[in-house]
Amino acid sequence: MQTTELANWNQFMELTTQLDGWAFRGQQNAQWRLESSLSRYMRDFVGDRSQWRAREERAIRVFRRKAHNFLAHPNILADDLRCLALMQHHGAPTRLLDFTKSPFVAAFFALERATGDAVVYALNTPALWNNRARPKADPVLTRDVIDPRVPGHFERYFFCNTHEVLWSGEPTEMDDRLVAQSGTFVVPGVIDKPLQSILDGYESNEELLHQIVLPARIRMDAMKWLYRMNITNASLFPGLDGLARSIGVELEIVWSGMMQAQ
């Protein structure tokens, strides 16, 4: 994995222009591993890895048994990827990793609450989609073969936690938040390894993962640019919750600008 530590915000815009079609994920701490919320939860609270599959399956089963009480169309729970996306949307630990097709949305999520160096990861999804990158251990497991939107594929290729593969894409139907954020998901076949380690097992002539470190010193300049681009919590999280979450940036960006103007 190549790493670029930015000297300024303009360098981020120049670099991401070269990564056309890639997917991006922002994390507010450059030291955090690139892994799912489920991976972190299992590692921290379920020490016996032999139980991980049963625990994950039970969590999904419990959600399916109870979530129908709050849904206008509970039939979506039968679709594995849509069910996991719904769980993720409402804060449950899942194996999905949120990515976005917009490097600027990723930068916002990385920087909004960052107090030190943040990071944006860029994933070469075109290479994965077009099978220019394949797992060395089992090259027949291409993106189309393991597609979790196909009934039965989650059970066969993901819940077993034995296939070191990645799939990226969206459910067949996207909710408003996923649309607003230009969102996409990355689904790992194993949850005991970070994405970097899984990609190390892929064969490709292309770079598959690029780490872009955003030093704390460029945060204010970057946040001002993102604000001008209307990338805020209010635009990324449609509804009153997003508006309320956006007030922090309003305090930081707008009021500091007004004070300087006086």
Side-chain angles (χ1 to χ4, degrees):
M1 176 177 63
Q2 183 177 346
T3 298
T4 299
E5 181 170 338
L6 300 179
N8 51 60
W9 176 244
N10 285 338
Q11 187 182 1
F12 180 83
M13 293 190 284
E14 293 169 0
L15 175 59
T16 54
T17 297
Q18 302 170 23
L19 305 177
D20 185 42
W22 289 40
F24 303 88
R25 176 179 171 85
Q27 299 190 166
Q28 69 183 57
N29 189 321
Q31 302 303 313
W32 290 350
R33 304 203 313 177
L34 186 56
E35 61 185 357
S36 70
S37 57
L38 180 65
S39 296
R40 294 193 301 271
Y41 200 94
M42 291 292 199
R43 188 179 65 247
D44 291 344
F45 301 110
V46 185
D48 185 356
R49 296 192 178 193
S50 67
Q51 297 184 18
W52 284 12
R53 173 175 181 164
R55 298 284 185 105
E56 181 184 16
E57 290 179 331
R58 180 180 182 276
I60 297 169
R61 186 167 62 251
V62 168
F63 184 81
R64 280 179 161 143
R65 289 175 61 190
K66 300 179 179 181
H68 68 90
N69 291 294
F70 310 102
L71 299 174
H73 304 286
N75 59 301
I76 68 172
L77 296 170
D79 183 309
D80 289 322
L81 186 58
R82 292 185 70 191
C83 180
L84 284 177
L86 187 64
M87 292 174 67
Q88 180 96 338
H89 180 116
H90 291 281
T94 78
R95 69 170 58 224
L96 305 184
L97 283 92
D98 292 306
F99 275 71
T100 171
K101 297 169 185 175
S102 167
F104 303 109
V105 170
F108 176 84
F109 286 129
L111 292 169
E112 182 205 4
R113 298 295 174 91
T115 56
D117 294 350
V119 65
V120 167
Y121 286 99
L123 178 66
N124 189 348
T125 45
L128 297 171
W129 290 340
N130 297 316
N131 299 322
R132 301 196 303 269
R134 294 171 179 256
K136 298 174 186 176
D138 206 341
V140 300
L141 296 183
T142 63
R143 179 178 183 270
D144 291 336
V145 168
I146 65 174
D147 190 340
R149 295 171 298 189
V150 176
H153 278 198
F154 246 108
E155 178 72 26
R156 182 174 182 180
Y157 297 113
F158 296 94
F159 287 146
C160 59
N161 287 310
T162 57
H163 300 294
E164 295 189 18
V165 294
L166 293 178
W167 184 88
S168 63
E170 305 84 49
T172 51
E173 295 181 6
M174 300 168 62
D175 63 28
D176 56 352
R177 184 180 297 183
L178 203 59
V179 172
Q181 298 173 7
S182 298
T184 189
F185 293 116
V186 170
V187 190
V190 294
I191 59 173
D192 61 344
K193 292 186 176 183
L195 260 62
Q196 298 100 309
S197 297
I198 297 174
L199 287 170
D200 285 343
Y202 271 66
E203 185 172 6
S204 177
N205 294 324
E206 305 174 45
E207 178 187 15
L208 297 180
L209 191 66
H210 195 114
Q211 182 187 49
I212 307 170
V213 178
L214 291 75
R217 66 179 180 274
I218 74 168
R219 179 183 178 278
M220 181 55 68
D221 189 33
M223 290 298 292
K224 288 179 179 178
W225 271 103
L226 294 169
Y227 185 86
R228 295 182 190 121
M229 298 166 70
N230 194 35
I231 297 178
T232 69
N233 279 311
S235 61
L236 298 175
F237 295 91
L240 188 58
D241 287 345
L243 175 60
R245 291 170 64 166
S246 73
I247 297 303
V249 175
E250 294 287 348
L251 291 170
E252 178 183 0
I253 303 295
V254 176
W255 280 101
S256 64
M258 290 179 65
M259 293 296 291
Q260 292 173 6
Q262 291 179 352

